[in-house]
Amino acid sequence: MSDLSLPVEQMANEYDVVVVGSGYGGAIAASRFARAGKRVCLLERGTEYRPGEFPESSAKGLTEIQADMPDRRIGSRTALFDFRINSDISVLAGCGLGGTSLINANVAIAPDERVWDDPRWPEAIRADVDQGIAQGVRRAQEMLCPTPLPADQSPLKLQAMEKSAEHMGAKFARPPLTVNFEDRINHVGVEQPACNSCGNCVSGCNVGAKNTLTANYLPDARNHGAEIFTRTSVRRVERRGERWVVHFDLLEAGAQRFDASHLFVGADIVILAAGSLGSTEILLRSRDTGLSVSDRLGHGFTGNGDVLGFAYNADQPIEGVGVPSARDTGPGPCITSVIDLRETDDLNDGMIIEEGVIPRSLAPVLASSLIMASRAMGRDTDSGFKDYAAEKYRELQAIVPGGSTGSVGNTQTYLVMAHDDSAGQIVLEDDRARISWPDVGSQPIFDRIDGELLRATEALGGTYIKSPLWVERLGKSLVTVHPLGGCGMGESAESGVVDAQGQVFAGETGSELHDGLYVCDGAIIPRSLGVNPFLTIATLAERNVNLIARDRGWDFSYDLAPVEQATVKEKRVGVQFTEAMRGHFSTDADLDFEQAAAWGREHDSRLEFTVTVNSDDLYGMLGEPDHQASLYGSVSIPELSPEPLSVTNGVFQLLTVDPDEERTRRMTYRMPLRLADGRTYYLYGFKRIHDDPGFDLWADTTTLFVTVYEGDSEAGAVAGRAVLRIKKKDFAKQLSTFKITNAGGVIRRLKAMTAFGKFFAGALWDTYGIDTSQD
């Protein structure tokens, strides 16, 4: 599969539609609007993963964890596993192109029909269940291709689950899974092998059999012209005249080192699809900077009644731990069966229990953790000396290096979805989304779940271990992998943040709407669903984007005619670094560079920039006479604007030969500059590398002479001049951002660094070295 995302330097200034987030809502919006022939830009906070790039070892898994805690953040902001830690309820979400589809458990179940009767849904939704909602389900299923585990496959964990269901007198089923069970080129041209049952679905599928959004909606969006950009974290949106401006940060190491990564892009329509926490956080920040929205923003959060539990050290093998993806057999997909307890008189008393697989990356720490948890809070469901001896023997097997899986291999993992009261609140503290929901874990439903999991464990003769956080001394804290709400639907701003199509209400009261601003993800769901929610999120997204298109007179086809598989382009070795330069600026066009800098110093008029230089082909850049790379970032010129100017599609040229001056080289910077209000400028800068009297190598390579023009080229009137320099502390940071990309190994990386160093040193030697041309 070829890359779906583009380098950020290729981003245009304006689009018809900007989609924020690449989960189910965002991917569907991008796909459908691109099919309508609209220019679509999708911004994703995380990175793009290919099969084979997900963590399987515990060491690699640790590098893919980020945690946002009340007092600090740890880990990379683009790490795959995104933990939001709160005292009442914490959240785990996926971060990457494809959102949580990368790490979910694949179960595509529709909620109990009674969920749609809840008056918290707008009347337009309740009246559209048989048509719009049903049609949305069909369209989502057509693209996601859910199917149950084939009848000829019956993993041990499935067999154990069926035994539990019989003991409980409960309904047992194999649910539809978004997993591919045959080798094929799928309906959007992506080659997919069959599932090999490794079980590592929730740490990322390295086989390529998992029907994540990178296997259907996102490549479909790209096939129809959508432009996808990763490592772009949207902060807020604002209305400027007739268009929306989306402000975002670049989550690249270099830009973050200099804390100057702010960019923006314009759009006629903005679709917020950054997840329950992400979309709510963006609107909360936007409200703080002037956007008028409903007071219901942040309210109505639900964890979907999520509970985790274990039947530890059961009397029969379960094999619920992932195996290397290279193996042919394993425990099966993460979830293969369910115990359905939703047929209750009161909808909110129902629940669904699913079995799961612990991914291989967690296996090394699993045995000791389960042993400690079983002794601290476990409830053994059978007794007797013989049983006790067998259990201790299996524990010993699990902790002996090289031994069998023992007690771990006999452990069933339970995942439960139910109905909480959907009364959590997302608030903005220290510029980060936090969840407040006192006593959420004390709701009666969680005691009922505890009882049902104990009954399921009894059938297996195991030790029941409830969630380690759900204890009195920790305030019965919860963890959810299915966060919903925060921008809930409503009839008006008094009852919701968005209307029945996901359009944002434009005030604290009434039904006035922001033209072109929508939320299209789990944030709009106003209550718990009691099942895995992604099919419902996809259903609402399909319904709403169809209505948005209809209202605007757009037309698109749902045709899934065979698509030629995209050619995988070989990734070439590249180079990237980030540079910050600072200096003084004057708007007096009659002044030369030094005069302009002197005036700027006297009047404290500054020009500063932080830009990233990137070449996707290092050897090509070094070999061509123009030595050209791309450039993007932001520029600050307070004399022209109090806001930073955004740079994309810039050009950098490294040490080109000056045709007019012997033994002179130039580094050239060309930057189209944009302001959020639509104004444009153009920055042209050069470093002159020439052997003047004295030692001037440092000054030459760190001094930039800048001219700023009005408009989008050097043909415009001169808006000012400046002289910029690299400070020593910034140079140290710049060196730390230098990296060779796509090398694939240490040897190739060292070879590329050597080639770059030889070129750079050779060019400087040609300029400052001994002239032997007369010998």
Side-chain angles (χ1 to χ4, degrees):
M1 186 172 64
S2 61
D3 285 346
L4 299 174
S5 57
L6 297 171
V8 72
E9 58 265 34
Q10 296 183 23
M11 188 181 298
N13 298 343
E14 304 274 344
Y15 292 88
D16 298 321
V17 182
V18 169
V19 178
V20 180
S22 62
Y24 290 93
I28 288 171
S31 166
R32 300 316 189 191
F33 292 146
R35 281 174 169 260
K38 301 303 165 185
R39 294 197 65 202
V40 175
C41 166
L42 185 148
L43 303 176
E44 164 55 45
R45 175 169 60 102
T47 60
E48 181 174 356
Y49 295 86
R50 287 184 177 184
E53 296 177 345
F54 294 101
E56 287 199 6
S57 69
S58 54
K60 183 66 165 67
L62 287 174
T63 67
E64 290 291 355
I65 292 176
Q66 57 174 304
D68 186 351
M69 296 172 280
D71 58 339
R72 66 188 184 279
R73 282 189 56 92
I74 61 172
S76 166
R77 291 182 63 193
T78 61
L80 178 62
F81 305 105
D82 184 5
F83 286 93
R84 308 293 183 92
I85 310 299
N86 303 281
S87 58
D88 302 323
I89 183 169
S90 298
V91 174
L92 169 61
C95 179
L97 186 62
T100 302
S101 79
L102 299 176
I103 63 168
N104 69 13
N106 317 306
V107 179
I109 300 180
D112 188 304
E113 292 182 359
R114 292 174 292 176
V115 164
W116 298 108
D117 296 332
D118 193 311
R120 283 175 285 191
W121 296 102
E123 173 60 27
I125 291 288
R126 285 177 278 152
D128 201 24
V129 172
D130 293 336
Q131 295 187 23
I133 296 298
Q135 186 180 64
V137 171
R138 291 192 297 272
R139 287 172 174 165
Q141 290 173 332
E142 184 178 39
M143 287 294 284
L144 298 172
C145 302
T147 185
L149 183 74
D152 61 352
Q153 298 183 33
S154 293
L156 293 177
K157 63 189 180 76
L158 180 148
Q159 296 176 36
M161 196 69 160
E162 189 168 19
K163 185 176 180 180
S164 292
E166 291 173 359
H167 174 74
M168 300 166 70
K171 182 179 178 181
F172 173 84
R174 297 183 179 217
L177 308 175
T178 50
V179 176
N180 180 53
F181 295 107
E182 60 181 19
D183 296 335
R184 64 169 184 163
I185 294 179
N186 73 13
H187 49 297
V188 299
V190 174
E191 185 175 0
Q192 288 188 275
C195 173
N196 72 341
S197 299
C198 72
N200 297 308
C201 305
V202 297
S203 59
C205 179
N206 281 322
V207 177
K210 184 179 168 79
N211 294 343
T212 67
L213 294 165
T214 57
N216 37 72
Y217 280 108
L218 288 171
D220 186 70
R222 185 202 58 181
N223 289 342
H224 289 87
E227 297 178 7
I228 298 171
F229 303 95
T230 58
R231 295 178 177 268
T232 54
S233 179
V234 171
R235 291 191 52 77
R236 63 185 179 91
V237 297
E238 66 168 329
R239 187 74 173 178
R240 289 287 184 102
E242 297 299 313
R243 66 172 192 159
W244 289 96
V245 177
V246 180
H247 297 266
F248 63 93
D249 290 340
L250 293 177
L251 297 186
E252 294 179 340
Q256 291 184 75
R257 283 297 303 269
F258 289 101
D259 192 28
S261 54
H262 311 301
L263 297 176
F264 58 83
V265 62
D268 295 328
I269 291 177
V270 174
I271 308 292
L272 296 180
S276 181
L277 295 183
S279 293
T280 305
E281 184 177 70
I282 291 167
L283 283 180
L284 285 169
R285 284 204 200 98
S286 302
R287 182 176 68 182
D288 287 350
T289 53
L291 186 71
S292 179
V293 295
S294 166
D295 283 342
R296 291 292 303 166
L297 178 61
H299 292 272
F301 176 82
T302 168
N304 202 40
D306 280 6
V307 171
L308 175 69
F310 302 93
Y312 170 67
N313 203 357
D315 293 339
Q316 62 190 75
I318 306 291
E319 292 187 357
V321 180
V323 300
S325 60
R327 278 182 42 175
D328 294 330
T329 59
C334 179
I335 292 172
T336 57
S337 62
V338 302
I339 296 173
D340 195 340
L341 299 171
R342 292 180 292 170
E343 295 180 359
T344 53
D345 293 336
D346 186 334
L347 166 69
N348 295 316
D349 290 337
M351 67 187 74
I352 194 164
I353 304 174
E354 301 169 347
E355 33 84 358
V357 176
I358 301 297
R360 181 172 180 262
S361 57
L362 294 180
V365 299
L366 187 60
S368 57
S369 299
L370 286 173
I371 290 172
M372 288 188 292
S374 69
R375 292 173 181 171
M377 64 182 69
R379 284 181 276 178
D380 197 348
T381 60
D382 56 5
S383 59
F385 176 78
K386 183 177 180 180
D387 178 73
Y388 175 82
E391 289 174 355
K392 293 305 176 185
Y393 178 69
R394 289 194 296 268
E395 282 189 352
L396 182 62
Q397 287 181 306
I399 61 177
V400 172
S404 70
T405 56
S407 58
V408 175
N410 284 38
T411 295
Q412 183 80 286
T413 299
Y414 299 121
L415 306 168
V416 183
M417 280 130 275
H419 298 284
D420 52 44
D421 63 11
S422 306
Q425 183 179 1
I426 303 171
V427 297
L428 202 63
E429 294 180 0
D430 298 326
D431 198 42
R432 296 175 297 161
R434 314 239 50 95
I435 303 169
S436 175
W437 200 351
D439 300 320
V440 56
S442 297
Q443 295 178 33
I445 183 62
F446 298 110
D447 287 312
R448 287 195 290 273
I449 292 172
D450 191 52
E452 295 295 354
L453 292 184
L454 179 61
R455 291 176 62 206
T457 304
E458 288 172 349
L460 308 179
T463 296
Y464 170 55
I465 302 174
K466 61 187 176 183
S467 171
L469 296 178
W470 193 68
V471 291
E472 290 290 347
R473 66 179 179 274
L474 295 178
K476 288 195 169 181
S477 180
L478 300 176
V479 177
T480 179
V481 294
H482 300 132
L484 301 171
C487 303
M489 287 181 166
E491 299 289 354
S492 66
E494 286 88 349
S495 59
V497 179
V498 301
D499 73 354
Q501 293 184 24
Q503 192 167 358
V504 178
F505 288 117
E508 298 176 3
T509 61
S511 56
E512 183 182 354
L513 299 163
H514 283 294
D515 183 26
L517 181 61
Y518 299 85
V519 181
C520 188
D521 57 23
I524 68 174
I525 295 175
R527 60 153 297 140
S528 59
L529 297 175
V531 295
N532 311 68
F534 76 76
L535 181 61
T536 304
I537 295 171
T539 294
L540 289 169
E542 285 282 17
R543 173 190 181 272
N544 289 357
V545 298
N546 179 61
L547 294 175
I548 294 168
R550 184 198 66 186
D551 290 348
R552 293 176 178 272
W554 300 350
D555 185 42
F556 55 83
S557 170
Y558 291 97
D559 179 38
L560 289 177
V563 178
E564 182 179 353
Q565 185 182 1
T567 303
V568 178
K569 295 181 180 179
E570 179 185 2
K571 288 186 176 182
R572 299 184 177 182
V573 176
V575 65
Q576 184 181 96
F577 61 88
T578 299
E579 183 175 60
M581 300 196 72
R582 311 172 195 276
H584 295 90
F585 172 81
S586 172
T587 57
D588 190 339
D590 294 328
L591 301 181
D592 64 23
F593 293 112
E594 295 300 342
Q595 291 171 332
W599 186 95
R601 277 191 297 271
E602 181 180 352
H603 295 84
D604 195 28
S605 174
R606 298 178 176 275
L607 191 158
E608 302 177 351
F609 68 63
T610 300
V611 295
T612 296
V613 174
N614 181 69
S615 171
D616 291 329
D617 184 0
L618 169 62
Y619 296 108
M621 180 188 78
L622 299 181
E624 295 295 328
D626 61 359
H627 308 309
Q628 183 170 306
S630 61
L631 179 153
Y632 55 93
S634 60
V635 179
S636 174
I637 316 176
E639 285 289 311
L640 300 182
S641 168
E643 300 176 309
L645 295 89
S646 179
V647 181
T648 54
N649 294 290
V651 173
F652 170 78
Q653 292 176 276
L654 175 67
L655 294 171
T656 56
V657 176
D658 191 322
D660 300 323
E661 294 187 72
E662 185 179 3
R663 296 185 66 183
T664 298
R665 300 261 184 160
R666 286 200 174 205
M667 295 189 200
T668 307
Y669 299 69
R670 292 181 170 87
M671 305 184 199
L673 309 179
R674 295 181 292 116
L675 284 164
D677 61 12
R679 286 183 293 155
T680 59
Y681 292 92
Y682 190 88
L683 185 153
Y684 172 80
F686 66 90
K687 296 176 183 176
R688 182 174 177 270
I689 317 298
H690 184 78
D691 187 17
D692 299 314
F695 184 75
D696 56 350
L697 173 61
W698 171 259
D700 284 359
T701 55
T702 60
T703 302
L704 186 72
F705 301 95
V706 168
T707 303
V708 178
Y709 301 90
E710 296 179 357
D712 56 7
S713 71
E714 295 173 57
V718 174
R721 291 190 175 88
V723 178
L724 309 185
R725 291 181 172 84
I726 300 177
K727 294 185 176 182
K728 290 182 179 179
K729 65 177 182 179
D730 289 338
F731 184 67
K733 290 182 181 179
Q734 178 177 330
L735 290 177
S736 72
T737 69
F738 183 90
K739 65 178 180 179
I740 300 297
T741 59
N742 302 321
V746 175
I747 301 300
R748 291 187 69 192
R749 185 176 298 109
L750 290 174
K751 181 179 178 182
M753 291 179 68
T754 300
F756 184 87
K758 282 184 176 180
F759 170 81
F760 197 90
L764 296 182
W765 176 260
D766 289 344
T767 301
Y768 297 103
I770 299 173
D771 184 0
T772 59
S773 61
Q774 302 302 317
D775 293 348

